[in-house]
Amino acid sequence: MIGTRGNDHRSYTNLPAGGVKRPRAESMNRVTVVLGAQWGDEGKGKVVDLLATESDIVCRCQGGNNAGHTVVVEGTEYDFHLLPSGIINTKCISLIGNGVVIHLPGLFEEIDKNEKKGLKGWEKRLIISDRAHIVFDFHQAVDGMQEVQRQAQEGKNIGTTKKGIGPAYSCKASRTGLRICDLLADFKEFSARFKNLAQQFQSMYPALKIDIDGELKKLKDYADRIRPMVRDGVYFMYDAINGPPKKILVEGANAALLDIDFGTYPFVTSSNCTVGGVCTGLGIPPTNIGDVYGVSKAYTTRVGIGAFPTEQLNAIGELLQTRGHEVGVTTGRKRRCGWLDLVILRYAHMINGFTAIALTKLDILDVLDEIKVGVAYKLNGKRIPHFPANMEVLQKVEVEYETFPGWKTDTSAARKWNDLPPKAQNYIRFVENHIGVPIKWVGVGKSRECMIQMF
């Protein structure tokens, strides 16, 4: 410990008048953050992947394996749910932060799948925070049971991924959760707490079957497998930020409109997927945050239920769904589709303070005769100045649209701004000016090369 012996204390008796000026830490490394600006599935993985190629550290700070990021490298598609997408990069450390909830069987299943596709040496590049909470199998079982219950009682569910995320965060908030550090400490003590938690869940859900001894045996095996990767995330991040120059990237999961505080509650996830979650999910101060990149499609999609003002339940919606292959990476559910909604993007920007935007899947709009963009919401014929918190109100809003002529040209081969047709450029500039944030990338296809960098 520092300062436990008498001679460890510095002498402050002979300081010059006025004391010693503390040097200012100007040289710290700031973290770059990539966040979803809509309801998820915006193509964050692609932007992260682009930035990860030159990053030293890539971090996840919230959510669990309810996220799904697809990254294509040299024709191979990798699917990530818990692993930061930077894990592909052999020169990069990947950190799963304290704000993430970890389902250990899910983590190793994901690693096995990606190993078969060619992922190598990951165990030397993966660090797991000792303060991260654990998702148990019974959390997943209960997640499914709660959805069935909601359906029966209210006639509608939330549309969770049934990955146990909500129940695990509930345990965290009610202080009954177990963390990675507990799993790696005294296993007898961990076992006792696990049994208590399991019994607590069984008393609430009598139909819940838990093989307590079988689960504990598996958990003991996982403990041995992850032990070498577990570190104190706070100290790790502090050293990374205050050490020699490094590029540090934070990969947001989910998106602004799924945030537990700011999203379309209750049809949201159970964590903060806005910029505040970066500080609490990694243990870093706000002053260490640099660029914040928001990712948005050139249209809007949503999985599951909940209000969706610009949704197109017509041929346009179907066209976007089929052309955009809009199916969830995690759930395999068809995504609902609609026009770009700038009310949502401005709202996401208010919360996150985006320094730039990545606009993805522009090429999906190539065949349309005209393209609409939602610019305002009206209630009873009057414009409302904000994004409604209440879902019944949001269901009732009428969207005011700007209409643009389609460019009717294939943009998928475009690699720079000047390759885009003027009508597409016009669309992009309108979006940029309306949100008041520059668009740094425009995506026109699946692979890395299809991201046009503007500046």
Side-chain angles (χ1 to χ4, degrees):
M1 290 292 288
I2 296 169
T4 44
R5 301 198 310 279
N7 61 357
D8 277 347
H9 290 289
R10 288 198 197 121
S11 163
Y12 286 104
T13 44
N14 304 323
L15 291 179
V20 176
K21 191 170 186 305
R22 192 168 158 268
R24 286 186 62 186
E26 282 302 333
S27 61
M28 63 183 180
N29 300 311
R30 284 197 162 83
V31 305
T32 297
V33 185
V34 176
L35 299 172
Q38 295 165 306
W39 275 288
D41 313 306
E42 302 91 351
K44 294 179 289 293
K46 237 184 244 67
V47 179
V48 166
D49 180 47
L50 230 99
L51 297 167
T53 49
E54 48 201 48
S55 295
D56 301 295
I57 303 169
V58 178
C59 320
R60 274 282 306 273
C61 63
Q62 46 66 234
N65 58 347
N66 56 335
H69 292 175
T70 310
V71 177
V72 182
V73 183
E74 289 164 11
T76 306
E77 268 198 28
Y78 295 90
D79 278 345
F80 297 117
H81 299 277
L82 258 170
L83 289 170
S85 335
I87 198 79
I88 306 176
N89 179 354
T90 52
K91 297 188 203 54
C92 178
I93 295 289
S94 288
L95 170 72
I96 297 178
N98 59 274
V100 177
V101 288
I102 303 174
H103 181 242
L104 290 163
L107 177 67
F108 284 106
E109 188 186 321
E110 182 180 331
I111 287 166
D112 293 342
K113 269 189 190 159
N114 286 302
E115 271 187 328
K116 288 192 178 83
K117 293 179 175 183
L119 179 68
K120 288 186 193 68
W122 59 270
E123 60 286 329
K124 302 209 170 29
R125 306 194 294 272
L126 182 62
I127 292 177
I128 298 171
S129 166
D130 57 354
R131 286 181 171 82
H133 277 252
I134 303 170
V135 179
F136 297 114
D137 286 349
F138 62 76
H139 284 132
Q140 297 198 336
V142 162
D143 204 355
M145 289 162 110
Q146 286 177 345
E147 283 285 74
V148 170
Q149 235 175 21
R150 284 183 200 112
Q151 190 65 52
Q153 286 165 356
E154 300 163 39
K156 57 175 189 270
N157 53 27
I158 287 175
T160 83
T161 56
K162 302 188 180 60
K163 300 287 183 195
I165 309 298
Y169 278 119
S170 297
C171 284
K172 178 177 178 172
S174 60
R175 290 151 305 188
T176 52
L178 285 156
R179 301 184 292 173
I180 297 290
C181 57
D182 304 320
L183 175 63
L184 299 190
D186 178 356
F187 197 74
K188 230 170 77 184
E189 172 65 20
F190 176 87
S191 301
R193 285 177 61 191
F194 178 84
K195 275 181 191 153
N196 278 346
L197 186 59
Q199 282 158 358
Q200 202 181 325
F201 268 81
Q202 281 176 312
S203 68
M204 288 191 289
Y205 300 91
L208 183 63
K209 304 268 183 288
I210 306 173
D211 171 7
I212 291 182
D213 295 328
E215 287 291 302
L216 284 167
K217 189 178 169 303
K218 283 193 280 190
L219 284 159
K220 197 166 183 10
D221 290 345
Y222 288 130
D224 296 334
R225 285 181 77 179
I226 64 165
R227 197 176 295 276
M229 301 165 217
V230 177
R231 300 268 288 275
D232 185 308
V234 174
Y235 285 77
F236 173 80
M237 284 306 292
Y238 183 84
D239 288 344
I241 285 167
N242 295 286
K246 273 193 179 62
K247 285 202 156 95
I248 306 167
L249 182 61
V250 181
E251 169 174 17
N254 320 114
L257 277 274
L258 293 173
D259 185 278
I260 184 83
D261 283 283
F262 304 112
T264 45
Y265 192 91
F267 306 106
V268 292
T269 191
S270 310
S271 59
N272 286 114
C273 18
T274 43
V275 74
V278 175
C279 296
T280 55
L282 292 170
I284 62 171
T287 45
N288 293 151
I289 290 178
D291 280 316
V292 181
Y293 297 133
V295 187
S296 164
K297 278 180 187 151
Y299 50 101
T300 311
T301 65
R302 174 162 203 174
V303 170
I305 56 173
F308 181 175
T310 63
E311 182 170 19
Q312 297 299 299
L313 295 166
N314 53 27
I316 297 283
E318 277 173 42
L319 179 109
L320 294 171
Q321 203 277 322
T322 48
R323 264 186 72 84
H325 304 292
E326 294 297 350
V327 177
V329 180
T330 301
T331 57
R333 290 180 290 191
K334 264 189 176 185
R335 297 181 189 139
R336 299 155 61 193
C337 300
W339 297 120
L340 184 61
D341 185 336
L342 296 183
V343 179
I344 282 174
L345 288 192
R346 287 177 68 171
Y347 174 66
H349 171 49
M350 285 176 188
I351 298 160
N352 289 314
F354 297 134
T355 50
I357 297 263
L359 194 69
T360 62
K361 298 184 93 161
L362 183 79
D363 56 308
I364 305 306
L365 306 180
D366 287 352
V367 296
L368 294 167
D369 294 317
E370 59 172 38
I371 297 161
K372 291 184 176 181
V373 180
V375 291
Y377 292 167
K378 286 175 167 175
L379 258 185
N380 309 322
K382 276 216 270 303
R383 268 193 181 203
I384 52 172
H386 54 84
F387 182 77
N390 178 277
M391 278 314 92
E392 281 66 48
V393 175
L394 188 61
Q395 294 278 17
K396 287 196 192 91
V397 299
E398 197 189 319
V399 182
E400 191 179 307
Y401 289 103
E402 280 283 335
T403 305
F404 294 85
W407 41 91
K408 308 284 284 180
T409 318
D410 182 357
T411 59
S412 62
R415 294 296 172 265
K416 51 187 194 296
W417 172 249
N418 289 339
D419 296 344
L420 291 170
K423 285 176 181 166
Q425 293 182 346
N426 187 25
Y427 180 77
I428 293 160
R429 289 290 180 237
F430 178 83
V431 172
E432 199 171 52
N433 293 332
H434 196 88
I435 317 167
V437 183
I439 290 174
K440 189 175 169 75
W441 294 278
V442 175
V444 291
K446 257 194 145 170
S447 66
R448 273 181 192 176
E449 302 72 65
C450 299
M451 285 296 255
I452 300 169
Q453 191 165 333
M454 315 263 279
F455 60 89

